[in-house]
Amino acid sequence: MQSGRSAYPALEGRHILLGITGSIAAYKAAVLCRLLKTAGADVRVVMTPLAKQFITPLTMATLSKNPILVEFFDPENGAWNSHVSLGEWADCLLIAPATANTLAKMRTGVADNLLLTTYLSARCPVVVAPAMDLDMYAHAATQENLRMLADRGVKIVEPAEGELASGLTGKGRMAEPEEIAAFVDSLLARAETHIETHDKTCDEKKKRLQGKRFVVTAGATIEAIDPVRFISTHSTGKMGYAIAGELARCGAEVILVSGRTNLPTPAGVERHDVLSADEMFDATVEAFAQADGAVMCAAVADYTPAEVSDTKIKKNDDELTLTLRRTRDIAAHLGARKGDRVLVGFALETDHEAANAEAKLARKNFDFVVLNSLRDAGAGFRGDTNKVTFIDRAGCEELPLLAKTEVAARIVEKIETLLF
Ligand code: CTP
């Protein structure tokens, strides 16, 4: 019996099918299995043949308190390990670590081991936690496979940046077991109210926002000082791109007005690249004229140099004073003209978070504000996770630390409640 103080309350009594593939990160699957068990979940483990090289079936059997499944048949007695019944048994299929190889096979439907056949049969939500070297993760093939799987409803716990087994440093390290457990917990908590199967979710999502058009602003604007320097922020655009992708997955027509970022355009999204706050203002206002709503995620510069030098400003021994002029507030402009359209704003704060966000809600006439505080670990710029609070006129709703893709899904769900 678990007490009500479990960190993962939605896991209690749930059937989690833990898939382990051949990655060095397989050792973390032991910790993950323990967390799931401690939270009261019933865990069964399916390993790919290569995964056995990284962690022993004995370890996983001991921790999960269930026999480990690797082969289609038990070599001892010929008993058939039915992937269909495993898929039916599971409330969630969690593949952690998921190698580039397994992700590629999942995308194409290759069924050459028990884990893959189980995936193809599973009707429950499917979560993958990729783990691989940074170049493998960044490769267009892997990214395309992940996008395609996400389009089909597979949930992705994004890998973290850090030191990798290869000795290189970059993105590819499997998310920590605690983050993965929290991800599954919040997914299952939501699944109690939203019946989600990975295929069904996709079909239903496709219909939900069909016929609606949204504008999303994302990334950082660039305010030129001279041909070489500029003023900008640390925004990477990840949150806005995740929202644009999620809206498109739900069937909406999406115009993404994007400042500087290195991100690929999400599938099904029309992207307009801009540089300055002035350019973003013009592109967004034009797109909003034909839209049902807008999500203002961009980090727009509030000030821009009053004069831009045509030539590189050369240094001398004097101090340099730049005169900055205010830029136009895009969100406030839309807010004054929004009518019954939906307008969502962001507030990134370092102090007096709730008060500042409430002021923005009123000043810019947002329907709700997504507040993130730079004081929260895992929130804000660069990372793949975010910790946000929704603030509207009825009050506030604090969300746990989630992958940005999951935060995007929550934002889109909230938008839907305003539209319908
Ligand atoms: N925003 C905008 N146009 C601007 C400035 C901000 O559309 N020129 C939008 C942002 O995209 C965000 C919201 O307004 O959705 C709040 O942005 P933020 O920079 O936090 O607030 P500011 O209004 O700039 O206030 P402050 O700098 O005082 O925090």
Side-chain angles (χ1 to χ4, degrees):
M1 255 321 259
Q2 296 302 304
S3 77
R5 283 176 287 132
S6 164
Y8 315 109
L11 293 181
E12 187 169 356
R14 296 309 193 108
H15 293 172
I16 309 291
L17 194 54
L18 177 59
I20 306 177
T21 69
S23 154
I24 189 72
Y27 77 93
K28 290 191 193 172
V31 182
L32 178 58
C33 181
R34 238 193 119 91
L35 286 175
L36 300 173
K37 288 292 291 176
T38 311
D42 193 356
V43 182
R44 300 193 70 183
V45 178
V46 183
M47 298 172 80
T48 62
L50 192 60
K52 289 196 297 180
Q53 312 271 351
F54 291 90
I55 187 158
T56 69
L58 181 61
T59 305
M60 295 313 302
T62 310
L63 290 169
S64 67
K65 300 192 169 54
N66 273 315
I68 300 310
L69 305 159
V70 180
E71 309 292 345
F72 291 107
F73 294 93
D74 184 329
E76 299 284 302
N77 57 19
W80 165 241
N81 290 325
S82 167
H83 53 88
V84 177
S85 23
L86 280 171
E88 279 174 358
W89 172 85
D91 293 316
C92 176
L93 169 59
L94 166 61
I95 305 179
T99 56
N101 184 42
T102 291
L103 294 168
K105 288 178 173 180
M106 286 169 71
R107 182 205 169 156
T108 48
V110 172
D112 64 355
N113 63 42
L114 183 62
L115 177 58
L116 289 163
T117 52
T118 305
Y119 161 67
L120 290 172
S121 313
R123 296 196 188 156
C124 57
V126 178
V127 177
V128 294
M132 63 199 75
D133 205 41
L134 77 163
D135 293 318
M136 289 176 81
Y137 182 72
H139 197 283
T142 307
Q143 288 302 313
E144 206 179 304
N145 291 337
L146 283 167
R147 264 201 303 282
M148 185 63 83
L149 290 171
D151 277 350
R152 292 185 199 149
V154 172
K155 306 284 179 192
I156 297 158
V157 190
E158 295 214 19
E161 301 225 3
E163 201 180 315
L164 300 162
S166 60
L168 298 171
T169 301
K171 186 166 174 178
R173 201 165 79 170
M174 188 174 85
E176 292 307 315
E178 291 76 8
E179 192 192 327
I180 298 172
F183 188 99
V184 175
D185 178 67
S186 80
L187 184 72
L188 291 179
R190 287 200 300 139
E192 280 168 12
T193 44
H194 299 266
I195 305 147
E196 288 191 335
T197 65
H198 63 292
D199 287 335
K200 215 166 147 197
T201 311
C202 223
D203 288 348
E204 284 173 358
K205 271 186 168 182
K206 284 226 163 80
K207 286 188 220 119
R208 273 170 17 206
L209 291 177
Q210 216 145 43
K212 301 285 178 198
R213 185 188 293 207
F214 277 88
V215 186
V216 178
T217 67
T221 63
I222 298 247
E223 309 302 322
I225 297 170
D226 68 14
V228 180
R229 291 100 169 187
F230 58 81
I231 298 171
S232 192
T233 72
H234 294 298
S235 170
T236 56
K238 278 183 186 164
M239 195 62 249
Y241 272 56
I243 294 167
E246 182 64 16
L247 284 165
R249 262 194 294 284
C250 293
E253 213 179 301
V254 184
I255 296 155
L256 175 62
V257 182
S258 176
R260 181 191 47 133
T261 146
N262 295 321
L263 300 171
T265 309
V269 167
E270 184 182 322
R271 171 168 160 181
H272 295 205
D273 283 328
V274 295
L275 279 178
S276 65
D278 278 348
E279 282 179 28
M280 185 171 274
F281 184 98
D282 293 339
T284 309
V285 169
E286 188 186 333
F288 192 64
Q290 308 294 328
D292 299 289
V295 184
M296 312 302 288
C297 208
V300 188
D302 291 322
Y303 293 91
T304 191
E307 277 173 30
V308 182
S309 171
D310 290 338
T311 52
K312 186 179 172 193
I313 300 171
K314 302 304 281 182
K315 64 175 166 293
N316 56 38
D317 291 337
D318 296 336
E319 288 185 346
L320 175 69
T321 304
L322 284 175
T323 305
L324 304 177
R325 69 164 169 82
R326 278 292 308 269
T327 56
R328 292 170 291 174
D329 192 316
I330 310 166
H333 183 91
L334 302 191
R337 292 155 182 80
K338 85 179 198 59
D340 57 5
R341 291 177 288 179
V342 175
L343 189 62
V344 181
F346 271 73
L348 177 65
E349 306 292 342
T350 55
D351 54 274
H352 302 100
E353 289 87 344
N356 283 333
E358 277 163 23
K360 280 172 196 175
L361 180 80
R363 195 166 69 236
K364 308 199 189 200
N365 198 20
F366 289 132
D367 289 286
F368 67 97
V369 169
V370 182
L371 163 67
N372 34 178
S373 168
L374 277 189
R375 285 199 283 191
D376 284 325
F381 299 127
R382 290 201 187 99
D384 293 309
T385 55
N386 209 352
K387 187 164 178 349
V388 304
T389 302
F390 293 155
I391 298 194
D392 61 19
R393 286 166 186 82
C396 61
E397 182 193 350
E398 201 177 328
L399 271 56
L401 183 69
L402 294 169
K404 282 184 175 167
T405 47
E406 202 49 35
V407 174
R410 303 286 186 100
I411 291 169
V412 172
E413 277 173 15
K414 193 163 167 68
I415 289 173
E416 281 172 46
T417 63
L418 296 166
L419 281 172
F420 305 114

